[in-house]
Amino acid sequence: CTDSCDFSKPLGKSRYRFRDMNEFTDDLKWWCTEAKRVHVWNYTMNFRYFMHAFPNIYCLKPDLETFLDCGVTEVLEQGVASPHQAGMALKTYLIGHLLWDPRQPIEPLLDRFYRGYYADPHAFSHQWANLYHTLHHRLLPQHKNVLLFHKTGSQLFHLFQDASNRA
């Protein structure tokens, strides 16, 4: 179970340690040498802030590649079944495709999803997702740079305004 890891980063780079200060991937590799079948229950959402968007779309592919490289035989990706959680349609789409082939590039999948799901505001949604991801990973964990947080938040707001004006 990956419950001791930081899900906003790829598991191989998670800042939290698993038991006895070993890296999660070291434990996973050990389990895969000891057992014939290793099943991983991986969380793709943030239980603490259940309804908030959880920008880990760029972690899904490296996590599945880590499982594959370590020798995991089965993976369950747990998300949210609620249509109200932000970004769930995108995560469902990505997980479905990446489970079939974790080595495929993620950008063409993102482009195809944004074109199909949002049609016209394709550029807006992709920019918004990238900015939100940046905001979460660079600013929120440090809680230090309020001015940079405000600047990125303003960029997100203007992207929404532009998309609304074009609709």
Side-chain angles (χ1 to χ4, degrees), residues 24-163:
F24 172 78
T25 52
D26 292 339
D27 285 346
L28 187 59
K29 287 176 187 173
W30 180 85
W31 275 107
C32 288
T33 61
E34 296 298 311
K36 290 180 183 175
R37 297 179 75 185
V38 175
H39 181 96
V40 172
W41 187 308
N42 190 36
Y43 301 105
T44 63
M45 54 173 289
N46 183 348
F47 284 103
R48 175 177 255 174
Y49 303 106
F50 187 73
M51 299 304 283
H52 292 226
F54 185 49
N56 65 341
I57 59 173
Y58 293 106
C59 300
L60 300 172
K61 176 181 167 47
D63 287 353
L64 287 170
E65 288 175 328
T66 296
F67 298 148
L68 187 63
D69 293 343
C70 288
V72 170
T73 53
E74 300 170 11
V75 176
L76 177 113
E77 298 277 37
Q78 181 177 352
V80 180
S82 169
H84 305 294
Q85 205 239 356
M88 207 55 226
L90 173 60
K91 280 188 193 176
T92 302
Y93 178 84
L94 289 175
I95 289 168
H97 283 275
L98 290 170
L99 282 171
W100 281 107
D101 180 10
R103 304 277 188 220
Q104 65 182 304
I106 196 168
E107 288 303 322
L109 292 174
L110 290 169
D111 289 341
R112 196 174 335 133
F113 175 83
Y114 289 129
R115 269 195 318 273
Y117 196 81
Y118 294 106
D120 202 26
H122 160 69
F124 151 75
S125 2
H126 208 149
Q127 286 176 328
W128 187 90
N130 285 336
L131 271 173
Y132 190 77
H133 192 270
T134 299
L135 177 69
H136 182 81
H137 290 284
R138 291 193 182 154
L139 308 177
L140 294 181
Q142 294 141 8
H143 300 290
K144 290 179 184 171
N145 198 334
V146 175
L147 186 60
L148 193 55
F149 177 84
H150 177 71
K151 180 182 174 188
T152 309
S154 294
Q155 289 173 325
L156 291 171
F157 175 75
H158 290 299
L159 282 172
F160 271 120
Q161 266 188 327
D162 291 345

